[in-house]
Amino acid sequence: MENTDTSTSTVRRNSKRPRYSKFTQQELPACKPILTPRWVISAFMLISIVFIPIGVAALFASRDVVEIVDRYDSECIPANETDKVKYIQTPGEKSCNRTLTVPKRMKPPIFVYYQLDNFYQNHRRYVKSRNDQQLRDSKEANSVSGCKPEDFNNGSVIVPCGLIAWSLFNDTYSLSRNNITLNVSKKDISWKSDREHKFGKDVYPKNFQSGGLIGGGILDPNIPLSEQEDLIVWMRTAALPNFRKLYGKMEVELQENDVIDVTLGNNYNTYSFNGKKKLVLSTTSWLGGKNDFLGIAYLTVGGLCFFLAMAFTVVYLVKPRQLGDPSYLSWNRNPGWR
Amino acid sequence: METGDDGIEKSPGVELNSDSSCRRRFPLTLAGALSRNSVRELGIPDELERKRVRQGWSRGGNSEFFSASLKEISDEDARVVYINDPERTNEQFRFAGNEVCTGKYSLITFLPRNLFEQFHRVAYVYFLVIAVLNQIPQIAVFGRGASILPLAFVLFVTAIKDAYEDYRRHRADEIENNRLALVWNEGRFQSKRWKDIRVGEVIKIKANETLPCDMVLLSSSDPTGVAYVQTINLDGESNLKARYAKQETTSKSPEKEKIGGLIKCEKPNRNIYGFMANLEVDDKKLSLGPSNIILRGCELKNTDWAVGVAVHTGRETKAMLNSSGAPSKRSSLETRMNFEIIILSFFLIGLCMAVSTGAAVWLKHFEDSLNSIIFFGKQDYSQEKAKNYNYYGWGMGIFFTFLMAVIVFQIMIPISLYISMELVRIGQAYFMVRDTDMYDEASDSRFQCRALNINEDLGQIKYVFSDKTGTLTENKMEFQRASIGGIDYCNLKASSQGVGYTVKVDGKVMRPKVTIKTHPELLRLAQNGKDSVGGAYIHDFLLALASCNTLVPFVVDTSDPAVKLIDYQGESPDEQALAYAAAAYGYMLMERSSGHIVVDILGEKQRFNVLGLHEFDSDRKRMSVILGCPDKSVKVYVKGADTTTISVIDKSLLEHVVDATENHLNSYSSMGLRTLVVGMRELSPSEFEQWHSAFEAASTALIGRVALLRKVAIDVETKLRVLGASGIEDKLQQGVPEAIESLRMAGIKVWVLTGDKQETAISIGYSSKLLSSNMTQIIISNNSKESCRKSLEDALSMSKNLIPDAENEHVLRGPDAVQVQLALIIDGTSLVYVLDNELEEQCCLQLFQLASKCSVVLCCRVAPLQKAGIVALVKRRTADMTLAIGDGANDVSMIQMADVGVGISGQEGRQAVMASDFSMGQFRFLLPLLLVHGHWNYQRMAYMIIYNFYRNAVFVFLMFWFTLFTAFTLTTAITEWSSMLYSVIYTAFPTIIVGILDKNLSRRTLLKYPRLYGSGQREESYNSRLFWIMMVDTLYQSIIVYFIPLFAYWNSTVDISSLGDLWTIAIVIVVNLHLAMDVMRWNWVTHAGIWGSVIATCLCVMAIDAIPFLFGYWAIFHIGKTKLFWTLLLIVVVAALTPRFLVKVLYQYYQPNDIQIAREAEKFGTFGQVEQSELEMTCMMET
């Protein structure tokens, strides 16, 4: 049959044929990685070669750190007090003396931390109870939204408002060695960014801790918030229920078997929720504090990968499979397959 | 002739979605029309006469639907139209104006309606509920902005999109409504805007204008009252259709005399092939049928002008009533996925319960001392009298905790997945449409994605149901053989390829548009042997071919002014082929008007009066025409399907001719030809009178017109003298045998459903490689229920003997057992018995069992509704995916029934395309569609779903672990902005990019090894095993990501924001590297997506931490300065991904699946033949 229709040429001109391009035909240049044995073994070897040295280094760093931890919460309650909560809540001087022995030479800087356990600084009610606007800007002194239940006192706003500020940690430590007081510097213990941008230089505490219940430390109303470094440190709420916060720094070297006397002001109430209080003196390494976990983790992963690399090498040698062998296709393995 | 071009250009190309305003205009998807009634209407088999009875000039209403549903136009059901008197017409009934409004919204209704529609999605409701919960102060977890913003954003974007689309529709409406038409008013035809046209007005349409409303034709430029219209906007058919004015009105024109009259017609309905009305004019009552009405959206062609009276306007026009979308389908993967989503929601509830239980224990333990726990701050002392702050007791505390947990863990249900899936499908559709392999040159048609949500189903098809004519074959009919008077003339042997037959008229040469090869002997006999017996047979036979049809001849100019072409326009390709054949032998149909035809017989123009025409219908399967010949004799010519036509032939006459014809018929059909039998009878004057009165009575009857007409036809079509039979070849489409072979290799069962005879079907089966000689054929062809049942049982037991049960398959069949393949051939009559409701379920089940054992099923003599029944038979009994492919109106029901419907945009108009989910030009495009795109789409989508479950769950687990260390109070270490952005920015793009672009295998490999398609059928990429493996991996990864930093920072000064930032960055890197590990093909887009996301995350985290009034100010910069941060990041990422890597390596090496082997082969060229085909750089990973 012959079609003499002449309209085909006109159709061709406005043809709908899709234009060819590598993109529309899904043929962009691409790389097709395949996990060949050599590649897999190399990957595992590479991981082990990188990880094992890091693990060793991390472990050494952690071992180098000297750390003195002294838990004092129960010891600092006089033995005759049965109701710890009542004791801590009664106003007045509650001092307590502790002695620490330095196990190993400690090079400066030595960091003095307080550590609280079981203290949920990440509790939802707690972590939200602050107002960052108010802390920054003296003009925003009245913005106390989110600060409940510590927003107003007798109708006037509290600066800084909120539970976090209200519960400021207020135990005090004074350290001395051989009756010579060790100078604990409280300068630059907080983040510089916080001091400069988060806590205002013209924002002064107001109405703070003047309510019915005292939560913790008091602030000097004549010092702007940007210089209240204890508050700034405290307001960086901790991620975990067991946390340390920097109390101060010492620029002295402590020798092995030095005895340090600590005079404690035990004011802070952690007794109502079985919280522990610890004083920590520690040096640091390139990895931070004393923690063997990271080194062990690196060694474990590195070791495992080394083992896998070896295992694969053996297995590939014993039972190799040719890559892309068509006889492995399901219809070749099982001829009955339709 | 220039008929088509104009219309074709206007025919809107639907590519990605069918929302283009053009499409909205007159989209006639028969989807909606496919109600119970119209199935029958559509259900006229195409195989014999491809003509739906709506056409032609018979004055009868002809759809059965009407005889059944419209008994009579009673006064209350009718709409009364006073011609040329719109005031009177409209005063009694409020008819709709002609203004159309396809826009969904107005300015006022936009907001509420659009929101209402958007919230039909369950996902959005979930979003909303969570957001509302978060507004309650007691349980507000996120800030108001952070919680509402994502939802608001999605709603806003969708609303903008909807508004824009609606604006375009409004604009299109406005253009449409302000088009001008000539309306008779105050003594002349005046231009009037379309929207002002009222029912009853008389309208004049000029050539090539579009009809503004449905109107009854009154007169036209043709003195006989014929007007030709093109209905491409309505049903997509580009051929011309003739519409007729009543003789009583043709002579009238408003210019000459006032037209008056009354039309009583049926209420508006959506059946475009039916119309029923009475016209009262000059005290005469005439009946009007569908051939008297021209519908809105049609274009007037080849007619200078036409005048009609508006009967339906605006939204009551048939075109508007038919504008509805195709039904939406849901992919099986998505259905599967919803099950896993339910599991995930149990996980969600479980996590929330765990948190609230923990909270309950904690609160109970500290209940008495809560007041003095400083970080709890139970009491508010700001007033004189202390009162509880935000604490409502133990019970409420638990309840609030639960609700808060739901808010915090909400993304466990991956809402973003739904949006990602839609984007991915659009991307996939883009690539399918752009595929040059699926572009059909012949019809200049691209692949079209009409349904956007079942792309991935294409990778899991197990059954393909195919129509034969037009789908496997080209539907270009070629007259091949004729048996005339018992003598077989075979064109195949013929060689004369002359110019063909030509006629000279007024000094101009006329020749048929299509010339065919002629048989020299037959040509000689036709031209010279008029007086011999054989010659008389040939004369009658050719005259029957030329006259017994509904074709309309058109004269077309050619480049040579002296030569004109005759083009036969009609709906049935068979008729066209026959008419061209008759023309080639010198019997050229020259002219047709309502009362007569002119046939040029061997150079001599003869005029025949057409006294009556009995149209084709599916019961008789034949048509007949009663001709008044120039010699005053009256003859009835019949042509029709052999089964029904042989039975009305008088076998006592010329027995040997009948026998020879029957033998020839059998041999034709076994050659795969479509056969028709031609017979005739001369009517005596008394017989004619009897017929004439009966015909007149029947065709003006108002009640049961169709049945009456059929009876008249049956009465006259008796005692025929056989003239002969014709054999028409329908050529197989290019590449069909190869395509079918590949599909079968791919484990897809191909069923062919055809209206052809058994012999024809089998021979087509052989030529299309559906059947092969080593197959055992089971033929079921019965005439009674009982025998049908019996043969079914026999066949089943036989098949069980030949092919053991699936369970025992591997045991019984050794590696080299002979494979028995069965082919089932079943005919329509038997299918009726099986699918008939009266027979018990048993039979259906048996048929299904039998069919599932056969690798090929051929159903012949199938009616359209049965096609759907067969698809339903399979669909109901298995979870396997079915695909139906067809091209004609008779395939619509099947296409809609199947899981995936594919329409061939071919010769038969666009109904099938309109109803389909995908449409393409050729059957062979099924290969790239299923084996390549289907395979890719399935792999991509399946992986994407699993991955999205993972990426959201791992994040939720990470937050859950932290909750355990916050006294179960749902504090999040990760900032609320990060947790909102996590599924939107941090991890969303790579998965979408991979979902659109990743390819596991190249196109060439997939086409070369069709069996690789099996991985989709076996659900290898998405199953519950993978889901649970993924969940275990998720749990492991979240533990690693959470606990390694936790132990490293235990007893340290780390603050919540810094640790949160570490977790955020770690989880994003892990999740993105997890994806990177599974990417099969890295091109630059993938690189950009994955690494870009990691970088974007870091930038976002830094940006959030640079805002001074936010809680975590500068945290990332602080922690980023410490070496611990970087060492932790390294170990977290490596430790989290190592197990997955290990399992993947072991699996790929020792349990490789086909895809893995093929990938390796592709890379290392071990398939031998697989050259480095594609232009792809191979990345030297292994060196």
Side-chain angles (χ1 to χ4, degrees), chain B residues 36-98:
Chain B
R36 205 165 10 88
N37 294 323
S38 41
V39 170
R40 282 182 124 189
E41 157 67 30
L42 292 166
I44 293 145
D46 58 327
E47 302 305 329
L48 187 63
E49 306 259 320
R50 177 167 311 257
K51 147 177 38 98
R52 284 148 220 107
V53 254
R54 57 194 133 116
Q55 211 176 359
W57 65 50
S58 90
R59 278 153 291 172
N62 34 29
S63 142
E64 287 197 48
F65 163 48
F66 279 124
S67 63
S69 71
L70 200 98
K71 294 283 181 268
E72 165 178 352
I73 306 178
S74 61
D75 279 346
E76 57 265 32
D77 285 339
R79 76 162 38 197
V80 180
V81 178
Y82 298 95
I83 299 172
N84 204 9
D85 195 351
E87 280 73 30
R88 190 162 164 215
T89 308
N90 285 293
E91 76 184 359
Q92 282 161 296
F93 305 94
R94 289 286 306 162
F95 296 142
N98 200 34

Side-chain angles (χ1 to χ4, degrees), chain B residues 774-961:
Chain B
N774 58 359
M775 282 183 177
T776 314
Q777 294 182 5
I778 301 173
I779 298 178
I780 296 179
S781 163
N782 299 91
N783 288 320
S784 78
K785 281 184 194 177
E786 282 315 306
S787 65
C788 175
R789 185 188 307 205
K790 180 136 191 338
S791 56
L792 208 54
E793 275 163 17
D794 291 348
L796 193 58
S797 60
M798 184 178 99
S799 72
K800 275 188 180 143
N801 290 335
L802 285 172
I803 296 182
D805 274 347
E807 301 94 69
N808 310 330
E809 208 165 353
H810 300 302
V811 185
L812 287 171
R813 192 184 298 154
D816 41 25
V818 188
Q819 204 167 315
V820 187
Q821 287 199 321
L822 289 178
L824 174 69
I825 294 131
I826 187 164
D827 74 348
T829 345
S830 311
L831 274 174
V832 171
Y833 298 132
V834 175
L835 300 174
D836 204 345
N837 292 337
E838 290 168 36
L839 264 174
E840 62 271 44
E841 214 34 13
Q842 183 66 22
C843 242
C844 276
L845 190 65
Q846 279 179 345
L847 177 64
F848 172 72
Q849 285 171 343
L850 179 61
S852 54
K853 288 209 181 297
C854 299
S855 39
V856 171
V857 179
L858 258 177
C859 305
C860 28
R861 291 274 182 238
V862 192
L865 210 53
Q866 283 179 330
K867 290 187 177 180
I870 295 164
V871 176
L873 173 84
V874 174
K875 209 176 142 183
R876 232 179 287 136
R877 281 178 182 74
T878 74
D880 297 341
M881 301 298 294
T882 53
L883 177 146
I885 178 166
D887 72 322
N890 57 340
D891 304 315
V892 166
S893 57
M894 167 172 92
I895 284 174
Q896 291 186 328
M897 174 63 75
D899 294 307
V900 178
V902 178
I904 299 276
S905 43
Q907 306 277 304
E908 272 200 66
R910 292 175 56 89
Q911 287 100 323
V913 171
M914 293 295 193
S916 67
D917 305 308
F918 302 97
S919 80
M920 51 197 192
Q922 298 270 324
F923 180 81
R924 66 168 194 278
F925 295 163
L926 264 190
L927 286 188
L929 179 65
L930 297 185
L931 302 188
V932 180
H933 289 286
H935 178 91
W936 286 341
N937 290 348
Y938 169 73
Q939 305 281 336
R940 293 162 175 173
M941 193 60 88
Y943 179 74
M944 189 176 107
I945 294 171
I946 290 266
Y947 175 77
N948 272 273
F949 286 164
Y950 150 79
R951 86 177 157 114
N952 282 11
V954 79
F955 192 71
V956 169
F957 279 125
L958 185 65
M959 294 197 286
F960 172 74
W961 301 129

Side-chain angles (χ1 to χ4, degrees), chain A residues 137-187:
Chain A
D137 196 344
S138 57
K139 292 187 219 65
E140 297 277 352
N142 287 328
S143 54
V144 290
S145 68
C147 282
K148 271 189 165 301
E150 295 297 328
D151 47 356
F152 290 99
N153 188 23
N154 296 327
S156 48
V157 291
I158 301 171
V159 181
C161 68
L163 267 184
I164 306 181
W166 174 76
S167 62
L168 176 64
F169 185 77
N170 61 347
D171 283 3
T172 54
Y173 314 118
S174 54
L175 286 76
S176 60
R177 180 175 55 176
N178 305 330
N179 292 328
I180 304 160
T181 307
L182 291 170
N183 185 27
V184 178
S185 156
K186 307 211 69 157
K187 200 106 185 87

Side-chain angles (χ1 to χ4, degrees), chain B residues 135-151:
Chain B
Q135 301 308 307
I136 302 169
Q138 283 80 11
I139 53 179
V141 175
F142 300 118
R144 296 208 170 158
S147 64
I148 281 285
L149 215 67
L151 177 64

Side-chain angles (χ1 to χ4, degrees), chain B residues 57-59 595 609-615 620 624-628 634-638 681-700 708-718:
Chain B
W57 65 50
S58 90
R59 278 153 291 172
N609 287 320
V610 179
L611 303 168
L613 188 138
H614 293 289
E615 302 225 5
R620 283 157 52 234
S624 57
V625 60
I626 287 119
L627 288 186
V634 176
K635 288 174 180 164
V636 50
Y637 288 96
V638 179
R681 180 159 74 103
E682 196 163 337
L683 293 182
S684 66
S686 65
E687 279 174 317
F688 172 70
E689 274 311 313
Q690 196 189 340
W691 165 82
H692 188 70
S693 56
F695 183 70
E696 282 298 310
S699 53
T700 49
L708 284 172
L709 275 172
R710 186 185 304 145
K711 190 169 174 305
V712 174
I714 289 170
D715 286 345
V716 75
E717 292 162 354
T718 52

